[in-house]
Amino acid sequence: MSEQGEQEVQASSVRDIPAEAFIKAYAAHLKTNDKMQLPNWVDIVKTATFKELGPYDPDWYYVRAASLARKVYLKQGLGVGALRRQYGGRNKRKGVVPEHFCRASGGLIRHILIQLETLGFVEKHPGSHGGRRITSQGQRDLDLIAGRIEMPKSIVC
C-alpha cells in the first residue's frame, strides 16, 4: 500500500507505463549497464540546429537513448528522418522574426541507433521503407525494466 491508500500494480509492458517514468528508469539502467559508451563529443554537441546550447543534464545521452528505444518499441519501422521530425522543435529566441519548425540532429539519432544495434536491442527493418525495429532481446529488456516500475492503480485503470 502506498501513502495515499491505493494499491500498486505491476506493469507487464512498456505500453502500460507513462513515458516519463519508463524513460527515467531505462536511462538509469543504460547508465549502470556500462555497455553503451559515451562518445567524446557528448559534452559539446547540441541536439538540434535551432538550439543555442547543449543539454544541461550530464546524463542526457542515456535519456535520449532510452527515449529512442521506447519510440522504436512502440512503432516499428521508424527511421532517422521520422525521428528527426519527432524530436524537432522551434527556435523561440529570435526576437521579432517568426518561428519555424526545424528538425533535430540526424547524426546524433543515427549514432544512438547504431549503438542500440550493437547492443542487440534494435535491428534494421527488412521492409521496403527501411527504418529500425526492436529485436526480441530488446523487447525482453525493455519489458523487464517496465515490469520493475510500480505504478498506483489509479493510473493503470
Side-chain angles (χ1 to χ4, degrees):
M1 294 287 257
S2 66
E3 297 169 356
Q4 291 127 358
E6 298 175 351
Q7 292 181 346
E8 293 188 352
V9 178
Q10 291 285 357
S12 60
S13 74
V14 176
R15 294 182 193 278
D16 301 335
I17 303 289
E20 183 179 356
F22 175 76
I23 290 170
K24 188 182 296 185
Y26 195 60
H29 171 73
L30 287 175
K31 184 177 180 182
T32 58
N33 202 1
D34 280 343
K35 290 183 181 175
M36 183 171 264
Q37 298 175 357
L38 290 177
N40 298 336
W41 42 261
V42 76
D43 55 343
I44 58 172
V45 73
K46 300 188 305 182
T47 57
T49 57
F50 64 90
K51 300 280 188 181
E52 292 185 4
L53 297 171
Y56 291 124
D57 184 11
D59 299 331
W60 71 269
Y61 192 82
Y62 297 111
V63 173
R64 181 60 61 98
S67 177
L68 281 169
R70 181 182 177 275
K71 282 189 181 288
V72 172
Y73 179 97
L74 294 177
K75 187 170 183 181
Q76 306 286 327
L78 282 177
V80 175
L83 291 167
R84 284 185 71 188
R85 284 190 297 275
Q86 290 182 10
Y87 285 103
R90 294 171 171 253
N91 186 354
K92 297 177 177 71
R93 309 185 103 206
K94 290 173 43 174
V96 297
V97 179
E99 300 173 0
H100 65 278
F101 184 81
C102 293
R103 293 183 290 179
S105 171
L108 173 65
I109 292 171
R110 192 173 300 109
H111 189 269
I112 292 174
L113 286 174
I114 289 170
Q115 281 205 333
L116 289 173
E117 275 185 42
T118 58
L119 293 175
F121 299 152
V122 173
E123 65 184 5
K124 293 194 177 184
H125 196 275
S128 62
H129 295 293
R132 301 294 204 285
R133 70 176 181 184
I134 202 86
T135 61
S136 59
Q137 177 188 355
Q139 184 173 357
R140 183 174 45 243
D141 192 42
L142 271 71
D143 286 340
L144 180 72
I145 299 300
R148 293 180 187 166
I149 300 171
E150 293 186 2
M151 299 179 351
K153 188 175 182 180
S154 62
I155 294 176
V156 175
C157 295

